[in-house]
């Protein structure tokens, strides 16, 4: 816009004298939403706008444009037509825009944010607006003062403030708190007051304001402090601004009371009375004095010293430790030593008057000297403690003891005082020599320390005691002991890798390294088990499969760190618990059963074998028939497949079933198998004669028919299959002028003329044809009457029909036709596999030659039939061709005239 403006005003700089600059002042609060009206430039500049008093044709079209979209431009939206200034979607944050007391102006093009004074107008948003067209052109300086709102709570720079106050601080002592709260808001919205949540009755707060308006809190001591009574006060300091409503911030204020040397050492008693035997040895402890100073550190350091009133002989006789206050005998007591000593001891503290205590030591004179016990140790001894190994044998010598009477005029005896496996006995042949030895093996795990005394006394009843401590040294004599010798565990299969099994624990009664136990897997443990050597945590690194292995049994060892190491063994048994992760599995995916037809209902067709590798409820399998359930049922438990009804192969030769196996898991898993049931044929259907259709039908045979000519055929089918459907034809009864003139092919059923017909051969011939199958165990058959009328014409049908109605007197022949076995009809249905296999198994290799010969013979017969077709136009009956099941409407041709 500025570029367009410069291009526009360049040629018309002569009008520059009419332009003028104008300033507009606005104010708005920070944090306002978008769309709040700041001001209307057109109205405030009193510029003519649309809708004014001028006619519409004279109304100017003004344009208001920001000279630059800098920092200030992002906070406002300027309507180019009306000149109205609104807040934008970018929220104005005064504390982010203006840095107080910096006196800096942040520019953004021709728009800037200015901060030059602490007044509300110090935070300004500066905008340059251009007004066009040329005749109204002006540059408007827009200043928007950002008013502060109380949108910030006071905040301490640190969460914990520590302040130290000396315990002798007088009342009204003022201590500045170095970390005052900060509030980005200005004026009354800034921090105004401070207060304490708990002042303990000895503190309060005051606020001081400096020249820059900064307020600093001060802690004021309102009461006496004593570190020895309470050395620390913990409270909360709260800063509050002056907004409406006010906002607050807080921090933890810890007031530590520092120590001053306001306490001096003090003794609990003023005098201590002590008695000391005159025969006491050097270094004998006499007494210990102790003073207390309530101060801390160097203020509480105490030293002890003799008062100048203590005479020098007493100082020489008794040594005073200046740090601990212990008094010990430093020289021997003799006959010239005074019997009473008054020791005045001073407890000295820094800057304090010493505390005083008097120790009265009374020395008791001893007329005779006590017996002496002189030890000579055989076992290892350090500072009066004898060290013995627990595995030392019985009668192990410990020490010799020599008993002496210093005055050499009293009889001295001694004995052993104390419990333990020890014995003190005279050592012969020496006098006053005694041997200390063990009476049984020592056991470190039973008792580690014994304290015994060698007591010597003389005939005057004076006795002395020598204390001996016997420390039993541990030996590696104990093996680790598992808490359980048989550790029985269980885990579900399909566990996550590195699954936790258990934590083994074995204890060892030995001490030190000898009692430290390490854990190891036995050699029979599978490699995927891991045992942490230190912690005894047993894990399995891989997934376990119960179906692969259900039980694991192996050993673990616990080994101590002694030398030589000792170990113990435990047995771990792990039972892998079953999860339903295996579907039922059929032994075969496809089952085939061959069942004879007419099998009785609910008879056993076959057994469906199914297994499930899971155990328990998860391995229980239920079987069901998915299809054909109206005919077939299955025994869920045994898997026996049965048919509800008797099956007829001629109705349906095979069945395909789908069996589903569902286990008892949750959720249940399942699988399916295909079951094929093939019905084996039984010879339960006799051959069905399709032609001739009636025993009353007949056929005209011309006398001129040549021998060997085909006359007609008998056609039959058998619903059975295989050998049960192989049909043979034979003439079992004849009647006529010369009945042996006709013969039938046992294989095809074709009837041919054997001899030439003579004049005497005219008349009705009745042939009883037997159609028999080759079924096993007993073939079935049907019979049909074939009627042939030998004559030139048929002139009287009623006469022929009357002859047919008469019961023929035919003697039945029992001769069976001798033919090779071959099915002669077209199957009514698609041959199944089993009949084919049966047929192939019956036909021997020798039959191949016979079949070949029959084929040649049939071909020759077909050739003759085609050659003589013109001679038999009056009767068109297929002879050798196999009749389809659809060709059931054959009827003999009727000839009306004889």
């Amino acid at each position: 816009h500025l570029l367009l403006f410069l291009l526009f005003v360049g040629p018309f700089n002569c009008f520059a004298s009419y332009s003028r600059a104008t300033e507009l002042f606005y104010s708005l609060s920070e944090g306002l939403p978008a769309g709040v009206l700041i001001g209307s430039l057109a109205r405030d500049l009193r510029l003519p706008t649309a809708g004014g008093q001028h006619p519409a044709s004279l109304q100017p079209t003004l344009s208001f444009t920001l000279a630059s979209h800098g920092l200030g431009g992002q906070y406002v939206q300027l309507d180019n037509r009306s000149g109205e200034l609104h807040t934008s979607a970018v929220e104005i944050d005064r504390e982010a825009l203006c840095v107080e007391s910096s006196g800096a102006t942040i520019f953004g093009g021709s728009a800037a944010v200015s901060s030059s004074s602490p007044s509300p107008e110090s935070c300004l948003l500066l905008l340059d607006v251009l007004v066009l067209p040329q005749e109204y052109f002006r540059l408007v300086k827009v200043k928007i003062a950002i008013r502060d709102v109380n949108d910030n709570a006071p905040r301490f720079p640190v969460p914990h403030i520590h302040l130290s106050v000396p315990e002798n601080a007088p009342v009204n002592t003022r201590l500045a708190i170095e970390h005052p709260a900060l509030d980005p808001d200005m004026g009354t919205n800034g921090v105004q007051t401070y207060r304490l949540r708990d002042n303990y009755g000895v503190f309060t707060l005051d606020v001081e304001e400096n020249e820059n308006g900064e307020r600093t809190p001060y802690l004021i001591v309102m009461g006496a402090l004593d570190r020895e009574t309470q050395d620390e006060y913990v409270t909360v300091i709260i800063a509050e601004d002056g907004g409406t409503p006010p906002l607050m911030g807080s921090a933890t204020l810890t007031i530590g009371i520092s120590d001053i040397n306001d306490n001096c050492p003090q003794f609990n008693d003023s005098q201590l009375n002590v008695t000391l035997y005159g025969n006491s040895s050097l270094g004998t402890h006499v007494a210990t004095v102790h003073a207390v100073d309530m101060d801390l550190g160097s203020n509480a350091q105490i030293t002890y010293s003799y008062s100048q009133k203590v005479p020098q002989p007493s100082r020489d006789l008794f040594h005073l430790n200046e740090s601990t206050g212990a008094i010990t005998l430093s020289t021997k007591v003799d006959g010239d030593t005074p019997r009473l000593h008054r020791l005045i001891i001073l407890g000295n503290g820094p800057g304090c008057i010493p505390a005083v205590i008097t120790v009265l030591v009374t020395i008791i004179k001893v007329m005779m000297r006590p017996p002496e016990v002189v030890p000579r140790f055989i076992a290892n001894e350090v500072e009066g403690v004898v060290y013995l190994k627990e595995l030392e044998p019985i009668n192990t010598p410990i020490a010799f003891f020599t008993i002496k009477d210093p005055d050499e005029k009293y009889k001295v005896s001694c004995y052993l005082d104390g419990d333990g496996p020890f014995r003190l006995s005279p050592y012969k042949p020496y006098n006053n020599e005694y041997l200390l030895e063990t009476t049984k093996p020592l056991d470190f795990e039973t008792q580690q320390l014994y304290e015994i005394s060698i007591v010597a006394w003389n005939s005057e009843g004076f006795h002395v005691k020598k204390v001996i401590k016997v420390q039993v040294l541990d030996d590696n004599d104990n093996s680790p002991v598992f808490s359980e010798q048989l550790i029985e565990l269980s885990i579900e299969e399909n566990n996550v890798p590195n699954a936790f099994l258990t934590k083994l624990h074995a204890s060892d009664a030995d001490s030190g390294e000898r009692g430290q136990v390490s854990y190891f897997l036995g050699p029979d443990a599978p490699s995927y088990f891991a045992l942490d050597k230190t912690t005894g945590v047993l894990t399995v690194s891989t997934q376990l499969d119960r179906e692969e292995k259900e039980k694991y049994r192996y050993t673990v060892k616990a080994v101590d760190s002694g030398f030589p190491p000792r170990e113990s063994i435990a047995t771990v048994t792990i039972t892998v618990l079953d999860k339903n992760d295996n579907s039922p599995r059929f032994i075969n995916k496809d089952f085939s059963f061959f069942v004879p037809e007419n099998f009785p209902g609910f008879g056993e067709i076959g057994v469906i074998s199914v297994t499930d590798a899971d155990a328990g409820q998860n391995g229980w399998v239920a079987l069901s028939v998915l299809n054909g359930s109206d005919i077939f049922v299955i025994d869920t438990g045994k898997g026996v497949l049965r048919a509800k009804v008797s099956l007829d192969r001629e109705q349906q030769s095979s069945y395909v079933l789908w069996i589903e196996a569902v286990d008892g898991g949750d959720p249940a898993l399942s699988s399916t198998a295909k079951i094929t049931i093939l019905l084996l044929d039984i010879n339960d259907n006799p051959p069905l004669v399709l032609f001739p259709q009636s025993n009353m039908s007949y056929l005209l045979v011309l006398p001129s028919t040549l021998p060997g000519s085909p006359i007609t055929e008998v056609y039959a089918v058998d619903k059975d299959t295989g050998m049960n459907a192989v049909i043979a034809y034979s003439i079992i009864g004849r009647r006529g002028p010369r009945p042996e003139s006709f013969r039938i092919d046992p294989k095809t059923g074709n009837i041919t003329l054997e001899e030439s017909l003579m004049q005497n051969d005219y008349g009705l011939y009745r042939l009883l044809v037997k159609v028999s199958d080759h079924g096993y165990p007993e073939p079935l058959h049907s019979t049909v009457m074939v009627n042939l009328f030998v004559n030139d014409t048929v002139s009287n049908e009623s006469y022929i029909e009357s002859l047919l109605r008469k019961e023929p007197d035919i003697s039945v022949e029992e001769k069976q036709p001798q033919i090779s076995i071959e099915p002669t009809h077209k199957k009514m249905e698609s041959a199944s596999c089993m009949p084919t296999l049966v047929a192939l198994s019956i036909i021997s290799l020798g039959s191949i030659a016979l079949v070949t010969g029959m084929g040649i013979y049939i071909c020759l017969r077909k050739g003759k039939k085609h050659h003589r077709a013109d001679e038999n136009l009056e009767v068109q009956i297929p002879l050798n061709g196999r009749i389809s099941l659809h060709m059931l409407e054959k009827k003999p041709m009727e000839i009306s005239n004889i």
Side-chain angles (χ1 to χ4, degrees):
H1 293 143
L2 183 60
L3 178 60
L4 292 173
F5 164 72
L6 294 175
L7 293 174
F8 179 79
V9 240
F12 302 101
N13 50 15
C14 58
F15 297 105
S17 59
Y18 295 101
S19 66
R20 59 184 180 271
T22 307
E23 285 190 353
L24 291 178
F25 295 91
Y26 299 103
S27 67
L28 88 156
S29 299
E30 62 174 324
L32 293 177
V36 176
L37 178 63
I38 301 174
S40 175
L41 302 185
R43 183 187 65 235
D44 297 336
L45 294 174
R46 298 182 180 179
L47 297 175
T49 58
Q53 298 177 356
H54 301 282
S57 59
L58 301 178
Q59 293 294 339
T61 302
L62 299 180
S63 173
F64 299 87
T65 308
L66 286 175
S68 174
H69 293 280
L71 178 62
Q74 65 179 323
Y75 297 104
V76 297
Q77 285 185 340
L78 177 62
D79 191 307
N80 293 338
R81 294 291 184 182
S82 66
E84 289 185 348
L85 201 61
H86 296 82
T87 57
S88 70
V90 181
E91 185 178 293
I92 298 175
D93 184 2
R94 180 192 166 280
E95 289 74 35
L97 290 174
C98 303
V99 182
E100 292 189 24
S101 73
S102 64
T105 302
I106 305 171
F107 290 95
S110 60
V113 177
S114 173
S115 175
S116 58
S117 67
S119 62
E121 289 75 25
S122 62
C123 186
L124 298 176
L125 196 63
L126 305 180
L127 304 171
D128 289 344
V129 179
L130 299 177
V131 182
L132 296 173
Q134 180 66 25
E135 57 267 26
Y136 295 100
F137 169 74
R138 63 182 66 192
L139 175 64
V140 182
K141 297 284 189 178
V142 180
K143 297 182 178 181
I144 303 174
I146 308 302
R147 295 192 301 270
D148 184 45
V149 297
N150 191 27
D151 57 347
N152 292 280
R155 186 177 61 86
F156 286 91
V158 292
H160 299 278
I161 302 173
H162 297 272
L163 194 63
S164 180
V165 181
E167 63 177 326
N168 63 344
V171 176
N172 293 327
T173 298
R174 299 170 65 87
L175 299 168
I177 297 176
E178 297 182 354
H179 301 285
L182 305 176
D183 193 330
D185 296 327
M186 62 179 298
T188 58
N189 292 333
V191 178
Q192 298 297 315
T193 60
Y194 291 87
R195 58 186 171 88
L196 294 176
R197 179 173 295 174
D198 186 0
N199 58 19
Y200 296 95
V202 292
F203 300 105
T204 188
L205 288 179
D206 189 19
V207 180
E208 292 185 3
E209 186 174 352
N210 60 14
E211 297 176 354
N212 296 328
E214 296 177 349
R215 295 173 180 266
T216 302
Y218 281 81
L219 182 71
I220 302 176
V221 179
M222 300 299 294
L225 303 175
D226 185 8
R227 188 206 63 80
E228 288 73 33
T229 303
Q230 186 169 351
D231 62 353
E232 186 179 72
Y233 297 87
V234 179
T235 184
V236 176
I237 181 172
I238 300 172
E240 186 174 315
D241 62 21
T244 304
L247 302 177
M248 291 177 289
S250 63
T252 301
L253 176 62
T254 302
I255 306 169
I257 308 303
S258 60
D259 183 53
I260 64 168
N261 193 24
D262 58 345
N263 290 278
C264 290
Q266 291 182 351
F267 289 104
N268 293 330
D269 301 308
S270 61
Q271 183 170 312
L272 188 62
N273 297 321
V274 180
T275 58
L276 181 68
Y277 288 101
N279 61 350
S280 298
S281 59
L282 296 179
T284 300
H285 178 264
V286 178
T288 299
V289 295
H290 181 67
V292 178
D293 192 324
M294 299 298 294
D295 292 327
L296 290 176
S298 61
N299 294 331
Q301 289 183 354
I302 301 174
T303 60
Y304 302 94
S305 64
Y306 285 124
S307 171
Q308 294 181 357
K309 296 179 181 180
V310 179
Q312 190 62 41
S314 297
R315 294 179 181 230
D316 295 338
L317 185 61
F318 300 103
H319 174 262
L320 174 64
N321 190 307
E322 66 175 8
S323 299
T324 63
I327 303 172
T328 56
L329 185 64
S330 59
T331 59
K332 276 196 173 185
V333 178
D334 54 23
D336 299 330
T337 302
R339 298 295 174 238
L340 181 64
H341 296 267
R342 183 183 297 274
L343 306 177
I344 301 173
I345 299 174
L346 305 178
N348 307 296
C352 290
I353 298 175
V356 180
I357 187 172
T358 301
V359 179
L360 290 177
V361 181
T362 302
I363 299 177
I364 300 175
K365 185 177 180 181
V366 180
M367 298 305 295
M368 66 179 70
R369 289 183 291 176
E372 293 181 359
V373 179
V374 180
R376 288 171 292 168
F377 291 99
I378 301 172
N380 185 28
E381 179 267 339
V382 178
E383 296 181 355
V385 179
V386 177
Y387 295 92
L388 290 178
K389 292 184 178 181
E390 63 175 331
L391 297 182
E392 293 288 353
I394 301 175
N395 301 327
T396 296
I398 299 174
F400 279 114
F401 291 92
T402 302
I403 309 302
K404 294 182 179 181
D405 178 17
D407 298 329
E408 296 183 354
K409 58 182 180 180
Y410 300 102
K411 182 179 180 181
V412 180
S413 300
C414 74
Y415 65 91
L416 183 63
D417 183 23
D419 297 328
F422 305 103
R423 177 176 60 225
L424 182 68
S425 57
Y427 190 72
K428 302 292 180 68
Y430 304 102
N431 294 326
N432 297 330
E433 294 286 345
Y434 293 86
L435 176 64
L436 179 66
E437 59 186 353
T438 61
T439 59
K440 63 180 182 179
L442 303 177
D443 187 1
F444 174 86
E445 289 72 36
T446 303
Q447 187 169 345
Q448 292 87 38
L449 181 66
Y450 295 90
E451 188 171 312
I452 56 178
S453 300
I454 309 300
V455 182
W457 83 98
N458 58 20
S459 56
E460 295 297 320
F462 198 86
H463 66 274
V464 69
K465 182 184 293 186
K466 180 68 176 179
V467 178
I468 303 288
K469 291 183 179 180
V470 179
Q471 176 67 56
V472 182
L473 299 178
D474 188 30
D475 247 322
N476 193 29
D477 60 338
N478 290 279
S479 300
V481 177
F482 280 99
S483 55
E484 296 177 306
Q485 284 300 311
L486 178 61
I487 304 164
E488 296 179 325
L489 307 174
S490 63
I491 184 175
E492 279 194 345
E493 63 176 329
N494 304 330
N495 55 283
V496 296
N498 299 317
F500 172 84
L501 293 174
T502 189
K503 184 175 182 180
L504 303 180
H505 177 70
S507 58
D508 194 317
D510 294 324
S511 63
E513 291 185 354
R514 290 172 291 274
Q516 293 180 359
V517 180
S518 300
Y519 302 90
F520 301 94
L521 290 172
D524 54 345
S527 60
Y528 39 83
F529 288 96
L531 180 59
D532 189 279
K533 175 182 178 181
T534 306
T535 63
V537 172
L538 181 63
T539 57
V540 55
S541 61
T542 187
Q543 281 191 347
L544 299 180
D545 187 358
R546 188 204 66 83
E547 290 72 39
E548 182 179 334
K549 190 171 184 180
E550 184 177 7
K551 294 280 187 180
Y552 293 88
R553 185 183 180 94
Y554 53 86
T555 57
V556 290
K557 292 192 300 183
V559 183
D560 63 22
S561 301
F563 183 80
R566 301 175 71 98
E567 66 181 39
S568 62
I569 296 176
T571 301
V572 175
T573 62
I574 301 174
T575 301
V576 183
L577 303 179
D578 185 51
K579 290 181 73 175
N580 192 28
D581 58 343
N582 289 278
S583 301
R585 182 178 179 183
F586 289 94
I587 292 183
N588 299 311
K589 293 304 291 183
D590 294 320
F591 290 85
S592 295
F593 296 109
F594 297 93
V595 181
E597 63 175 329
N598 304 328
F599 194 69
F602 292 97
E604 181 178 322
I605 295 176
V607 177
I608 310 299
S609 298
V610 60
T611 60
D612 193 315
D614 294 322
Q617 186 73 13
N618 296 331
W620 181 87
V621 180
L623 297 173
S624 61
V625 181
L626 296 180
N627 62 327
S629 58
D630 55 336
I631 299 177
F632 297 94
V633 293
I634 191 166
D635 188 331
T636 297
K638 298 181 179 179
V640 177
L641 182 65
R642 306 175 189 272
K644 299 178 183 178
V645 297
S646 179
L647 304 178
D648 186 0
R649 191 204 64 81
E650 285 71 40
Q651 292 184 2
Q652 186 170 340
S653 62
S654 64
Y655 295 87
V656 176
L657 305 179
W658 289 97
I659 304 296
E660 182 182 39
V662 181
D663 64 22
D666 185 17
L669 301 177
S670 64
S671 61
T672 57
K674 180 181 177 183
I675 311 297
T676 302
I677 301 173
L678 300 172
L679 296 183
L680 300 179
D681 186 46
I682 290 179
N683 193 27
D684 59 345
N685 290 280
L688 176 63
V689 178
L690 300 181
F691 185 83
Q693 297 180 1
S694 172
N695 288 336
M696 301 300 292
S697 62
Y698 64 94
L699 181 67
L700 176 64
V701 180
L702 297 177
S704 59
T705 303
L706 296 176
S709 299
I711 304 302
T712 185
E713 74 169 344
V714 176
Y715 182 75
V717 295
D718 196 317
K719 294 182 179 179
D720 295 323
T721 185
M723 296 302 299
N724 297 331
V726 176
I727 298 175
Y729 302 90
S730 62
I731 299 175
I732 60 173
R734 303 170 183 263
R735 186 173 179 80
R738 192 154 54 103
E740 61 277 1
S741 300
F742 300 95
R743 66 175 296 273
I744 189 168
D745 190 311
K747 186 176 180 181
T748 63
N750 288 346
I751 296 175
T752 56
L753 180 62
E754 287 296 304
E755 301 175 356
S756 299
L757 296 174
M758 303 300 179
Q759 185 68 32
N760 297 332
D761 297 334
Y762 285 35
L764 181 62
Y765 290 79
R766 308 197 72 177
L767 306 176
L768 181 59
V769 178
K770 179 181 179 181
V771 183
S772 177
D773 60 25
H774 286 70
Y776 180 84
E778 182 178 352
L780 301 179
H781 69 275
S782 300
T783 58
V784 65
M785 188 69 72
V786 178
N787 301 302
L788 303 176
F789 185 65
V790 178
N791 200 15
D792 292 324
T793 60
V794 179
S795 59
N796 190 349
E797 290 187 28
S798 58
Y799 170 72
I800 299 175
E801 290 175 358
S802 64
L803 294 177
L804 294 175
R805 282 194 291 268
K806 293 180 180 180
E807 187 67 27
D809 184 13
I810 300 177
S811 59
V812 177
E813 304 172 1
E814 293 300 330
K815 184 181 179 180
Q816 295 293 332
Q818 299 297 323
I819 63 168
S820 61
I821 299 172
E822 181 182 347
T824 59
H825 64 279
K826 197 172 197 178
K827 300 295 185 293
M828 296 177 63
E829 56 190 7
S830 299
S832 60
C833 297
M834 188 60 190
T836 304
L837 291 174
V838 173
L840 290 175
S841 64
I842 293 176
I843 298 175
S844 62
L845 294 176
S847 304
I848 297 175
L850 180 59
V851 171
T852 304
M854 290 290 294
I856 296 172
Y857 173 74
I858 291 172
C859 291
L860 293 175
R861 291 294 302 273
K862 286 184 177 180
K864 290 180 180 181
K865 180 179 69 174
H866 291 297
H867 178 71
R868 299 179 62 184
D870 295 336
E871 300 177 5
N872 295 281
L873 292 177
E874 68 276 11
V875 180
Q876 294 292 334
I877 300 176
L879 298 179
N880 294 322
R882 295 184 179 180
I883 301 175
S884 172
L885 291 179
H886 300 287
M887 299 174 62
L888 299 177
E889 301 299 327
K890 288 190 175 182
K891 292 184 179 180
M893 297 185 65
E894 296 182 359
I895 304 174
S896 57
N897 296 318
I898 293 181

